[in-house]
Each structure stands twice: as structure tokens, then as C-alpha cells.
Amino acid sequence: MSATRNPLHPGRDAVRDKGWLAAHRYLILRRVSQLGILLLFMTGPWFGLWIAKGNLASSLTLDILPLTDPYLFVQSLAAGFMPASAALIGAAIVIAFYALFGGRLYCAWVCPVNVVTDAAAWLRRRLGLKSGRAPDGNTRYWVLAGSLLLAAFTGTLMWEVVNPVSILQRSLIFGLSGSLAVVLAIFAYDLLVASRGWCGHLCPMGAFYGLLGQKSLVRITADQRGKCDDCMDCFAVCPEPQVIRPALKKAGQDSPLILDADCTNCGRCIDVCNKHVFHFTHRFDQRSDS
């Protein structure tokens, strides 16, 4: 494979050929989704309009729909708590959704920390930073297991004390700027130490949702991989670039589908490819031009 044509500006050719909006379509939709979900929770404390009560860990929307983060639910069980029936229903709804549409869809389309890590990745590319070394990708699974063991041994939800998603949401809603130190540390780590280090290598929530969505229906396909010109722009912007190669280059599989559970379904590979190699589809679609 040749080096990327635009190492500091991946997707420049897509902007030229498709237009700026088309070359950022899924990025824009993700930001609208992330901001919109946060606003659902903020309208209550800020304006007294309680659309969604609670937070991303546990909420009640319009006083009807309970939603519970299944990772929080499992931690509660490990800590010896039996959640209320509403929490059980809320966890079941969320599990069904992400099992069907993709577990790590949460990471790209819901999690507010994704904005922080995307910003660090963008700045790292612009500054041309190459130094640093990320831990093994399986580290996040060890952190996941450790968080559950810690809950079991202490009888408390210890992860929630340092959970950057909860911290960021509380900070935005209540103005607790001091607690943003954890979020700033993640930004600095991704920028200066390890590219995509937090989401791709350490975050237990990403590990949990990846396991949850292993057999999900929604997938991205490289069904036009015969048109690939090896520009490497997709690899440059993908938060989990290792998931692309098997589908794009038939490395260990013939299917053009990106089947790796670590794929976040962010759609950035679709955005930046001016050859229209990638598309959203379902896991049973095996069509390919190659």
C-alpha cells in the first residue's frame, strides 16, 4: 500500500470530488446525534423542560421510557445490587438496540467523550505527531474485567467514580469545571502519548459494547474494493483502523463486510473515500465488485 496522499488532510480528494457536505455527512450526523442527546438531558436543569431525566447511565424519557446502560446494570449485579424492574426493562431495551444495530454505535454516535478523542486525533494529525505507543488493544478487556471484579469485591460501582462519560455530562449540566481534569487527561493522552489510546485501547465501555454488538445486523461493507487506489485515507481517519484491512484487502476473509466487533459504525471511511468503496449495509450482504 502506498502512503496516504494527504497525511495531514485525509479526505481532501473526497471534498474535491463529492463536495464538503458529502465528505463530512456522517461526521455531521454524529455530532448532531451526540449534541442532541446531551441537550435532551440539559433542557431540564437549564430550562425546566424535563424531556429526559437522569443521565446516560440511567434515564427516564418523557416519564415513560426507561433506559439503563447495560454496563452499569452488570456492574450493579456484580456489586450485589438487584436493580429495580424499571432498570431491568431499560437495560433490556438498550441491549436489544445495540445487539441489533451495533454495540460500538454507542461510541461513535452517543458517547460525548468521542468528541474529545476525535478532536485529539484531528490535532495530532495536523501537528504531524508520530511519537508515543499505545497499549495492547486487549487492555480494555482487562480493564472491563477489572471494573467488574472491583465492583464485586467492594460492593460499589467504583468505575462510575472515574467514568469520563458521567463526569463530562455532569460538568456540562452543572458547571463542575474542576471535574473535567479526567476528560482533559484523556485528551492529552490521545494527543501526546497514544493515537486513539483511550477509546481504542483502554475504555471498558467500548470493550463492553463491542462484545454486545458482535453479531449486529448493521455493518459497513467495502463492496467496491476493486476501486480502491490505496490512498489510505480511510485508515487515517478510522478510530479502529485494524478493522478495515480484512474486508478491504481480503486479509483473512473473502467477505467485503467489516465484521470486527471493534468497528464503531462511525461512517468516516465512507465520508473520506472519493472512490465510493464503502457503504452501510447488513451483515448478510456479500456483494462485491472484486
Side-chain angles (χ1 to χ4, degrees), residues 15 53 189-190 213 217 234 236 249-250 253 282 289:
V15 172
K53 299 176 181 177
Y189 178 70
D190 273 27
L217 180 64
C234 57
K249 297 301 176 182
K250 299 184 180 180
Q253 71 176 52
H282 54 82
D289 71 345

Side-chain angles (χ1 to χ4, degrees), residues 135-178:
D136 184 86
N138 289 324
T139 304
R140 55 186 157 194
Y141 296 103
W142 289 107
V143 177
L144 171 62
S147 69
L148 297 179
L149 287 174
L150 195 59
F153 286 138
T154 64
T156 59
L157 306 181
M158 291 297 294
W159 166 249
E160 292 307 308
V161 176
V162 296
N163 184 352
V165 176
S166 301
I167 289 173
L168 180 56
Q169 190 172 13
R170 286 196 300 267
S171 300
L172 291 173
I173 294 175
F174 301 112
L176 304 176
S177 58

